[in-house]
């Protein structure tokens, strides 16, 4: 495995975590801890340089999305390479994020 590299870019109201390499069971804690460190309203995970994500990576991102949602914050996952996007669509990843977004917009949980 190539491992995972995380670069952090903070703007006024948003932090971008640019991830590169492979996100899997062996390194999800690295990204999770970096997400937990952020204090901005929006945390964006830029997956443009991600080569692989297994189900534990997807599960951790969904867990973090729920936690941030409870704090009235948002986790966005962007620039997802097509092979990874396809796998995430199959497991319903985006439906969960859409449900969280809809609940936030309507004031429900």
């Amino acid at each position: 495995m190539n491992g995972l590299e995380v670069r952090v870019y903070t703007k006024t109201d948003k932090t971008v975590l640019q991830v590169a390499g492979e996100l899997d069971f062996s390194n999800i804690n690295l990204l999770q801890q970096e997400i937990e460190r952020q204090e901005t309203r929006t945390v964006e995970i830029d997956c443009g340089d991600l080569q692989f994500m297994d189900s534990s990576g997807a599960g951790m991102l969904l867990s973090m999305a729920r936690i941030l949602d409870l704090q009235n914050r948002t986790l966005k996952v962007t620039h997802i390479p097509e092979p990874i996007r396809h796998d995430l669509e199959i497991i319903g990843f985006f439906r969960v994020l859409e449900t969280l977004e809809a609940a936030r917009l309507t004031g429900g949980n």
Side-chain angles (χ1 to χ4, degrees), residues 62-74:
L62 289 176
S63 293
M64 293 309 304
R66 288 183 185 106
I67 290 168
L68 291 179
D69 184 66
L70 291 172
Q71 300 169 353
N72 290 322
R73 299 169 63 209
T74 304

Side-chain angles (χ1 to χ4, degrees), residues 41-43 64-77 96-109:
R41 183 161 175 74
T42 301
V43 178
M64 293 309 304
R66 288 183 185 106
I67 290 168
L68 291 179
D69 184 66
L70 291 172
Q71 300 169 353
N72 290 322
R73 299 169 63 209
T74 304
L75 180 75
K76 293 185 178 184
V77 184
V96 174
L97 292 182
E98 289 166 4
T99 301
L100 289 172
E101 177 74 15
R104 184 172 41 259
L105 292 175
T106 60
N109 282 330

Side-chain angles (χ1 to χ4, degrees), residues 55-97:
S55 60
S56 61
M60 180 275 296
L61 289 174
L62 289 176
S63 293
M64 293 309 304
R66 288 183 185 106
I67 290 168
L68 291 179
D69 184 66
L70 291 172
Q71 300 169 353
N72 290 322
R73 299 169 63 209
T74 304
L75 180 75
K76 293 185 178 184
V77 184
T78 63
H79 305 109
I80 305 166
E82 190 53 41
I84 296 172
R85 176 176 289 282
H86 176 74
D87 291 345
L88 293 176
E89 286 173 354
I90 289 172
I91 64 170
F93 181 87
F94 299 106
R95 284 192 305 258
V96 174
L97 292 182

Side-chain angles (χ1 to χ4, degrees), residues 9-79:
Y9 302 95
T10 303
K11 301 176 182 179
T12 304
D13 60 346
K14 173 171 90 169
T15 300
V16 177
L17 303 179
Q18 188 176 41
V19 294
E22 300 180 356
L23 178 60
D24 61 28
F25 181 76
S26 70
N27 58 29
I28 58 172
N29 288 338
L30 171 69
L31 183 56
Q32 181 175 343
Q33 290 170 359
E34 200 58 60
I35 294 169
E36 290 170 343
R37 271 198 266 296
Q38 306 313 312
E39 297 179 359
T40 53
R41 183 161 175 74
T42 301
V43 178
E44 177 183 330
I45 309 300
D46 179 342
C47 297
D49 293 326
L50 197 62
Q51 298 166 349
F52 173 80
M53 180 189 307
D54 72 4
S55 60
S56 61
M60 180 275 296
L61 289 174
L62 289 176
S63 293
M64 293 309 304
R66 288 183 185 106
I67 290 168
L68 291 179
D69 184 66
L70 291 172
Q71 300 169 353
N72 290 322
R73 299 169 63 209
T74 304
L75 180 75
K76 293 185 178 184
V77 184
T78 63
H79 305 109

